Amino acid sequence: MDQLHENQIYTGTVESYSSEGLGIVRLDGAVVFVPGAVRGETIDLKITKVMKTAAAGEIVKIHNPSPDRAAPECPWYGQCGGCDFQHLTYPEELRAKRQRVQDALTRLGGADVQVEEILGAKNPHHYRNKSQYPVGADGAIGFYRARSHRVVPVKRCLIQPEAADRTAAAVGEWMRRYKIPAYDETTGKGLVRHIYVRVNQKGESLCCVVINGKQAPREPELAAYVCAAVPHTVGVLVNSNTRRGNVILGEKYRTLWGQDFLMDTLCGLAFKLSVPSFYQVNHDQAEVLYGRALAYAGLTGAETVVDLYCGIGTITLCLARQAGRVIGAEIVPAAIRDARENAARNHIENAEFFCGDAAEAAARLEAEGLRPDVITVDPPRKGLAPEVIGSIAAMGPSRVVYVSCDPATLGRDVKRFGELGYRAVRACAVDMFPGTRHVESVVRLERDGSRKTEQGNRASLGAEGEIDFADIALLNAELKQRGLRYHIYYKDEHTACLEPPGACCLTEDLKQNTMQCIREYYEKKHRLVHFFGGDLYFTCGELPAD
């Protein structure tokens, strides 16, 4: 990039935003990333770094401030690396995030789908229910400066709940009072590494202090300091993490006072949250996100659904209330235990859970011949591995609901699904993280021709074929007598659905024997049976005349 020179000043117009929230200015075809810039502004900028394919710059002067420019409310904005968009009005932040998702689907995913809307937060402040405060070697408690491990001391954060900030401050007071050393990641010495806080809808909180060792001095005093600062604390824990590196939590926990979990209610369901449990950090927006995911799933009460990356069962149990059967898979054993407890706690009996990573789970279900109607995925930022996408496609669901926290990997995976016959037909964005560059999205993918094929197959049998309640009752009795562990449910006057047994009992022979039993029953009544939807639905018509 010979045409741009470091420390030189140029004039340009901000066209859009990068995935990191930086303003994009084009100078003679070269892209310059400028922090704090707002779309539409003409600015003087100084080039601070020239790279092979782009450059970095900083604002020297704004010639025409945009009406979408806002004064940051946080005194640490620009120092702390937590927020990216406090210099924008909230409508402009939402527009930028929606465009980011649209660009990912169109440019990376090659999808011909429009992001219908972005669902913004009613309250963009103090929304996080999980807070993680790094502790610097000098004892500073706050958040990392952008792209560094230097801790910026922050006493009051606009996106953290007040109870979490008070808890962190109490731990800091305990450290100073008893001269408890902070951990130094450069030497591997010292004790206190992170302060972790969860807060629920009732205002109750759970505190976990991460230490570089097995035990801290003055642990009873630590619990006393926290409980005095935040009376609604329900538990104080210590987590031991002696490994070098960026992973926050170790594997071992001890409870110093109270309980080691927190209860919360989401979408009308009660959930038990342990410290390592995955749980969406914005409660209100999580309900919005899950509501849209359920709408995209299009459930009628009869479907079999597979939920990969199920965590503690939040989406799974929401799906179970509208589906016939739901199977959740998750790699973390503790999360699976919590998911099963959460299902029992909410009296949900049509949800099953097993432990395994997404690739293993998808391959196992595919090998067992499971043919779900819907598969939902909510992967981490790295998205789906190619083998997971391959196994999902091999199971042949009519639709896939993809909940994403990273537009770039979403776009990549939508493209991979497209190569296997699945097309994105609906999309929306959800602002789960106001003030930051991060955005959630939901995409519905459908198997090419699935809707048309299933409707056509049913129509070809004619409208005179009806499913009778009495036939279903007699069929279920016959299946039970033969030891065939499927169950038949009435869906509508022309359609019934099959509920398979648990995945551990499901075999291809069992499925084929069940289908044969149903055919034999209706042949005696001179009816022709047609299976569709992964052989989990059937309808019937009159046998043709000889």
Side-chain angles (χ1 to χ4, degrees), residues 204-237:
E204 299 168 332
S205 60
L206 181 69
C207 170
C208 179
V209 178
V210 183
I211 62 173
N212 178 40
K214 295 181 179 179
Q215 192 168 2
R218 303 281 189 168
E219 288 182 344
E221 287 82 355
L222 168 60
Y225 264 78
V226 170
C227 292
V230 185
H232 294 296
T233 299
V234 299
V236 180
L237 290 76

Side-chain angles (χ1 to χ4, degrees), residues 126-252:
H126 308 300
Y127 58 82
R128 289 188 65 92
N129 55 45
K130 182 180 79 170
S131 306
Q132 297 174 133
Y133 302 85
V135 180
D138 60 355
I141 297 173
F143 303 99
Y144 290 124
R145 183 182 289 276
R147 291 176 289 280
S148 83
H149 267 216
R150 188 167 87 74
V151 175
V152 177
V154 175
K155 294 182 179 179
R156 190 73 186 96
C157 177
L158 289 177
I159 64 175
Q160 312 293 345
E162 184 181 350
D165 284 340
R166 292 205 314 268
T167 300
V171 175
E173 290 177 14
W174 166 77
M175 291 175 65
R176 288 187 293 274
R177 170 68 177 81
Y178 297 105
K179 296 180 173 55
I180 309 296
Y183 175 71
D184 186 341
E185 64 179 22
T186 61
T187 65
K189 296 181 179 180
L191 193 66
V192 180
R193 302 178 64 146
H194 274 82
I195 302 162
Y196 176 110
V197 187
R198 277 196 188 276
V199 179
N200 66 11
Q201 286 297 101
K202 292 182 178 180
E204 299 168 332
S205 60
L206 181 69
C207 170
C208 179
V209 178
V210 183
I211 62 173
N212 178 40
K214 295 181 179 179
Q215 192 168 2
R218 303 281 189 168
E219 288 182 344
E221 287 82 355
L222 168 60
Y225 264 78
V226 170
C227 292
V230 185
H232 294 296
T233 299
V234 299
V236 180
L237 290 76
V238 164
N239 172 267
S240 177
N241 181 7
T242 57
R243 295 173 296 178
R244 303 286 288 267
N246 298 332
V247 177
I248 294 176
L249 295 172
E251 296 179 358
K252 295 183 178 180

